[in-house]
Coordinates of all heavy atoms in Angstrom, one line a residue:
A1498 N 1.8 -14.8 12.0 CA 0.8 -15.6 11.3 C -0.1 -14.8 10.4 O -0.4 -13.6 10.7 CB -0.1 -16.3 12.4
L1499 N -0.5 -15.3 9.3 CA -1.4 -14.7 8.3 C -2.8 -15.0 8.7 O -3.2 -16.1 9.1 CB -1.2 -15.2 6.9 CG -0.1 -14.5 6.1 CD1 0.1 -15.2 4.7 CD2 -0.4 -13.0 5.9
S1500 N -3.7 -13.9 8.6 CA -5.1 -14.1 8.8 C -5.8 -13.3 7.7 O -5.9 -12.1 7.7 CB -5.5 -13.5 10.2 OG -6.9 -13.5 10.3
G1501 N -6.2 -14.0 6.7 CA -6.6 -13.3 5.5 C -5.5 -12.6 4.8 O -4.4 -13.1 4.5
D1502 N -5.7 -11.3 4.6 CA -4.7 -10.4 4.0 C -3.8 -9.7 5.1 O -2.9 -8.9 4.7 CB -5.3 -9.4 3.1 CG -6.0 -10.0 1.9 OD1 -5.5 -11.1 1.5 OD2 -6.9 -9.5 1.4
D1503 N -4.1 -9.9 6.4 CA -3.4 -9.3 7.4 C -2.3 -10.2 8.0 O -2.5 -11.4 8.1 CB -4.4 -8.8 8.5 CG -5.3 -7.7 8.1 OD1 -5.0 -7.1 7.1 OD2 -6.3 -7.5 8.8
L1504 N -1.3 -9.5 8.5 CA -0.2 -10.3 9.2 C -0.3 -9.9 10.7 O -0.3 -8.7 11.1 CB 1.1 -9.8 8.7 CG 2.4 -10.5 9.3 CD1 2.4 -12.0 9.0 CD2 3.6 -9.8 8.8
H1505 N -0.4 -10.9 11.5 CA -0.5 -10.7 13.0 C 0.9 -11.2 13.6 O 1.3 -12.3 13.3 CB -1.6 -11.5 13.6 CG -3.0 -10.9 13.2 ND1 -3.5 -9.8 13.8 CD2 -3.9 -11.4 12.3 CE1 -4.7 -9.6 13.2 NE2 -4.9 -10.5 12.3
I1506 N 1.4 -10.3 14.4 CA 2.8 -10.6 15.0 C 2.6 -10.5 16.5 O 2.2 -9.4 17.1 CB 3.8 -9.5 14.5 CG1 3.9 -9.6 13.0 CG2 5.2 -9.8 15.2 CD1 4.7 -8.4 12.4
E1507 N 3.0 -11.5 17.2 CA 3.0 -11.6 18.7 C 4.4 -11.6 19.1 O 5.2 -12.5 18.8 CB 2.2 -12.8 19.2 CG 2.1 -12.9 20.7 CD 1.4 -14.1 21.2 OE1 0.6 -14.7 20.4 OE2 1.6 -14.5 22.3
L1508 N 4.8 -10.5 19.9 CA 6.1 -10.3 20.4 C 6.4 -11.1 21.6 O 5.5 -11.2 22.5 CB 6.4 -8.9 20.6 CG 6.2 -7.9 19.4 CD1 6.5 -6.5 19.9 CD2 7.1 -8.2 18.3
R1509 N 7.5 -11.8 21.7 CA 7.9 -12.5 22.9 C 8.2 -11.5 24.1 O 7.9 -11.8 25.2 CB 9.1 -13.4 22.7 CG 8.9 -14.5 21.6 CD 7.8 -15.4 22.1 NE 7.8 -16.6 21.2 CZ 6.8 -17.4 21.2 NH1 5.7 -17.2 22.0 NH2 6.8 -18.5 20.5
E1510 N 8.8 -10.4 23.8 CA 9.0 -9.3 24.7 C 8.4 -8.0 24.2 O 8.4 -7.8 23.0 CB 10.5 -9.1 25.0 CG 11.2 -10.3 25.6 CD 10.8 -10.6 27.0 OE1 10.3 -9.7 27.7 OE2 10.9 -11.8 27.4
P1511 N 7.9 -7.1 25.0 CA 7.2 -6.0 24.5 C 8.2 -5.0 23.8 O 9.4 -4.8 24.3 CB 6.6 -5.3 25.8 CG 7.4 -5.9 26.9 CD 7.8 -7.2 26.5
A1512 N 7.7 -4.3 22.8 CA 8.4 -3.2 22.2 C 7.8 -1.9 22.6 O 6.6 -1.9 23.0 CB 8.4 -3.4 20.7
R1513 N 8.5 -0.8 22.4 CA 8.0 0.5 22.8 C 7.9 1.4 21.5 O 8.7 1.2 20.6 CB 8.9 1.2 23.8 CG 8.7 0.6 25.2 CD 9.5 1.4 26.2 NE 9.2 2.9 26.1 CZ 9.8 3.8 26.8 NH1 10.8 3.5 27.6 NH2 9.5 5.1 26.7
A1514 N 6.9 2.3 21.5 CA 6.8 3.3 20.5 C 6.8 2.7 19.1 O 7.5 3.1 18.2 CB 8.0 4.3 20.7
V1515 N 5.9 1.8 18.9 CA 5.6 1.2 17.6 C 4.5 2.0 16.9 O 3.4 2.0 17.4 CB 5.3 -0.3 17.7 CG1 5.1 -0.9 16.3 CG2 6.3 -1.0 18.5
A1516 N 4.9 2.7 15.8 CA 3.9 3.6 15.2 C 3.3 3.0 13.9 O 4.0 2.4 13.1 CB 4.6 4.9 14.8
P1517 N 2.0 3.1 13.8 CA 1.4 2.7 12.5 C 2.0 3.5 11.3 O 2.4 4.7 11.4 CB -0.1 3.2 12.7 CG -0.3 3.1 14.2 CD 1.0 3.6 14.8
G1518 N 2.2 2.8 10.2 CA 2.9 3.4 9.1 C 4.3 2.9 8.9 O 4.8 2.9 7.8
Q1519 N 4.9 2.4 10.0 CA 6.2 1.8 9.9 C 6.2 0.4 9.3 O 5.1 -0.2 9.3 CB 6.9 1.8 11.3 CG 7.1 3.1 11.9 CD 7.6 3.0 13.4 OE1 7.3 2.1 14.1 NE2 8.5 3.9 13.8
A1520 N 7.3 -0.1 8.9 CA 7.4 -1.4 8.3 C 7.7 -2.4 9.4 O 8.6 -2.1 10.3 CB 8.4 -1.5 7.2
A1521 N 7.1 -3.6 9.4 CA 7.5 -4.7 10.2 C 8.2 -5.7 9.3 O 7.5 -6.2 8.4 CB 6.3 -5.3 10.9
V1522 N 9.5 -5.9 9.5 CA 10.2 -6.8 8.6 C 10.6 -8.1 9.4 O 11.2 -8.0 10.5 CB 11.5 -6.1 8.1 CG1 12.3 -7.1 7.2 CG2 11.1 -4.9 7.3
L1523 N 10.2 -9.2 8.8 CA 10.5 -10.5 9.5 C 11.8 -11.1 9.0 O 12.1 -11.0 7.8 CB 9.3 -11.5 9.2 CG 7.9 -11.0 9.6 CD1 6.9 -12.1 9.2 CD2 7.8 -10.7 11.1
Y1524 N 12.5 -11.7 9.9 CA 13.8 -12.3 9.6 C 13.9 -13.7 10.1 O 13.3 -14.0 11.2 CB 15.0 -11.5 10.2 CG 15.2 -10.1 9.6 CD1 14.5 -9.0 10.0 CD2 16.2 -10.0 8.6 CE1 14.8 -7.8 9.5 CE2 16.5 -8.7 8.1 CZ 15.8 -7.6 8.5 OH 16.0 -6.4 8.0
D1525 N 14.6 -14.6 9.4 CA 15.1 -15.8 10.0 C 16.6 -15.7 10.0 O 17.2 -15.9 9.0 CB 14.6 -17.0 9.0 CG 15.1 -18.3 9.5 OD1 15.7 -18.4 10.6 OD2 15.0 -19.3 8.8

């Protein structure tokens, strides 16, 4: 979901070792 200029992503299952600076790419 977009909140202003930020993208908020809520994972259904937890991910590990997610580092700031990496890209989050959304797919359908």
Side-chain angles (χ1 to χ4, degrees):
L1499 275 177
S1500 175
D1502 294 330
D1503 292 344
L1504 179 66
H1505 292 282
I1506 302 169
E1507 182 178 338
L1508 304 176
R1509 296 301 192 193
E1510 298 291 336
R1513 284 185 55 184
V1515 181
Q1519 294 174 329
V1522 178
L1523 303 178
Y1524 290 85
D1525 178 8

